[in-house]
Amino acid sequence: MLELYKQQTKCLVALDSIIFGFDGEELKLLLVKRGVQTDRDTWSLMGGWLKPSESLDQAADRILFELTNLTGVFLEQLGAFGDPARDPVERTVAVAYYALVNVKDYETKISDTYHAHWFSMHDLPELLFDHADMIKMAIERLRYKAAFHPIGFELMPETFTIPQIQNLYEAIYGSNFDKRNFSRKILSTGLLIKLKEKQKGFSKKGAFLYKLDTEKYQTHSDSFLNFVPNPDGML
């Protein structure tokens, strides 16, 4: 049996993170510039290598922290990418994860060592290897999960208004929602706690602020709650 293992060709395992952020208006992606061979203007997802002593999740957490200084953010495995020609330097299998952060909450925490930059999802630069395919799969997963599960709140600040949540979902789906129907759906989940304070400066009356009921969020994070109408038609 040991001899069979020795006869196999070894390959590298990379981990790449599609880090989505929301700045209140746009859905964004955190990228880093990579100088691979002559591709000096090519941008890359945040990534690194699996160590022999690590599980995939442990490696993903470590790499995310090393490259961005971020901890405690939503991070979920997306899938594996193993085309033999995906990396021209060395045979490499990549395991992709996607992460969700609020840009304003984390913009001062992100390490500048690797010159990371937030890009609008509507204006992405040329990307390394098959990273565009990873991003396409990640946005499809985000749209599916945000339609039925409350993970969209991972992109929001601690307190927010209903219009701000609607801005987020419209950014995710690239579609406009009816205000009354959206508000009704969000409030019917029972996940929000209404605060006494109002957001000032955007209207005369102001909009009430809400915060997430974290206990209910943990309980219902995998529940099917149907946040948006006809999500299949928006993918």
Side-chain angles (χ1 to χ4, degrees), residues 29-159:
L29 188 68
L30 188 64
L31 299 173
V32 62
K33 184 172 285 189
R34 287 284 177 88
V36 178
Q37 296 177 338
T38 60
D39 299 332
R40 294 190 176 183
D41 293 328
T42 300
W43 289 78
S44 167
L45 296 170
M46 294 290 182
W49 305 103
L50 178 69
K51 294 181 179 179
S53 60
E54 294 176 314
S55 70
L56 291 172
D57 288 351
Q58 288 171 339
D61 285 333
R62 172 184 57 79
I63 292 167
L64 187 66
F65 175 74
E66 289 178 352
L67 295 182
T68 66
N69 207 34
L70 297 180
T71 59
V73 301
F74 177 93
L75 187 65
E76 183 176 274
Q77 189 178 133
L78 179 67
F81 294 76
D83 189 307
R86 65 171 302 276
D87 187 334
V89 179
E90 187 75 30
R91 176 72 169 103
T92 305
V93 172
V95 180
Y97 282 72
Y98 72 104
L100 306 177
V101 303
N102 179 268
V103 173
K104 293 181 180 179
D105 284 351
Y106 288 95
E107 61 185 352
T108 60
K109 298 180 181 180
I110 292 176
S111 171
D112 61 0
T113 302
Y114 298 93
H115 307 289
H117 181 75
W118 288 104
F119 285 88
S120 167
M121 289 296 294
H122 299 294
D123 189 25
L124 295 179
E126 182 180 352
L127 293 160
L128 188 71
F129 302 155
D130 52 2
H131 290 189
D133 295 331
M134 295 181 185
I135 294 167
K136 181 181 178 181
M137 181 182 290
I139 191 64
E140 289 174 352
R141 176 75 63 84
L142 175 59
R143 286 173 175 172
Y144 170 78
K145 295 206 70 170
F148 300 110
H149 306 290
I151 66 168
F153 292 106
E154 299 284 353
L155 290 156
M156 297 299 294
E158 184 176 353
T159 62

Side-chain angles (χ1 to χ4, degrees), residues 211-235:
K211 69 177 182 179
L212 188 64
D213 187 322
T214 54
E215 184 175 340
K216 287 185 178 179
Y217 174 74
Q218 295 298 329
T219 302
H220 297 287
S221 60
D222 292 325
S223 301
F224 283 83
L225 298 175
N226 192 15
F227 284 88
V228 299
N230 190 27
D232 292 337
M234 301 177 190
L235 298 182

Side-chain angles (χ1 to χ4, degrees), residues 22-28 104 164 167-168 170-171 202:
F22 183 63
D23 64 359
E25 297 294 332
E26 285 190 300
L27 188 65
K28 294 191 171 184
K104 293 181 180 179
Q164 286 176 324
N167 285 345
L168 167 65
E170 289 180 345
F202 291 90

